[in-house]
Amino acid sequence: LLSFLCLSTAVIPDSLRVTSEAQTLNKVQHDSLEIKCEVSKSTVQHSHISIAWYRRKADEPAVEVISLSRDFVLRAGSDYTQRHASGDIRLDKVGETQSKLTIYNLQSSDEGEFYCECWEGGK
């Protein structure tokens, strides 16, 4: 049984906020995991927001899973490049304000806390 904790972090500037329901999901290997986070801001259009998803395990630094730049360039983190190439990792925009991370064919190495960060402009 694999355990996933889905979190989100608030990001500066104050006009940009990320929210997602904190939830613990229990999955088995080869299941799929789908997590969403909501981006809300009071300024510029949402198309100018960069989004990144991270996975963190106890006592280890966070690992980037995948990111989408403001210019719509999708890039998988080094630990997930192969999985992204094979179609196991997806990042989608849902409407104007939501980001959805999907991981297919879960592995034990995917276990941990997932969270998304958003910022205006490039990285």
Side-chain angles (χ1 to χ4, degrees):
L1 195 65
L2 308 177
S3 183
F4 301 89
L5 179 62
C6 309
L7 304 168
S8 68
T9 55
V11 182
I12 41 182
D14 292 339
S15 61
L16 183 61
R17 189 168 58 247
V18 184
T19 53
S20 77
E21 229 177 276
Q23 53 184 326
T24 300
L25 305 171
N26 292 308
K27 302 279 185 177
V28 294
Q29 262 187 275
H30 310 299
D31 263 2
S32 296
L33 177 70
E34 188 177 283
I35 319 166
K36 292 180 185 169
C37 79
E38 181 92 19
V39 181
S40 59
K41 64 186 197 132
S42 53
T43 55
V44 208
Q45 297 173 16
H46 284 282
S47 57
H48 298 297
I49 292 178
S50 299
I51 299 167
W53 282 91
Y54 297 90
R55 187 205 73 226
R56 185 172 49 207
K57 295 185 181 195
D59 305 326
E60 289 181 27
V63 169
E64 184 177 312
V65 178
I66 196 166
S67 63
L68 179 66
S69 75
R70 61 177 292 183
D71 303 321
F72 302 104
V73 177
L74 201 57
R75 192 188 73 215
S78 55
D79 285 15
Y80 284 92
T81 308
Q82 187 82 36
R83 304 269 303 284
H84 180 249
S86 67
D88 279 353
I89 309 284
R90 281 187 59 122
L91 178 59
D92 298 291
K93 283 188 79 172
V94 183
E96 281 298 301
T97 60
Q98 280 196 333
S99 162
K100 180 175 75 171
L101 170 69
T102 308
I103 303 177
Y104 300 100
N105 193 22
L106 286 168
Q107 308 297 317
S108 55
S109 59
D110 295 322
E111 203 166 15
E113 293 177 3
F114 284 82
Y115 64 95
C116 73
E117 287 185 355
C118 302
W119 61 94
E120 295 186 82
K123 196 167 182 181

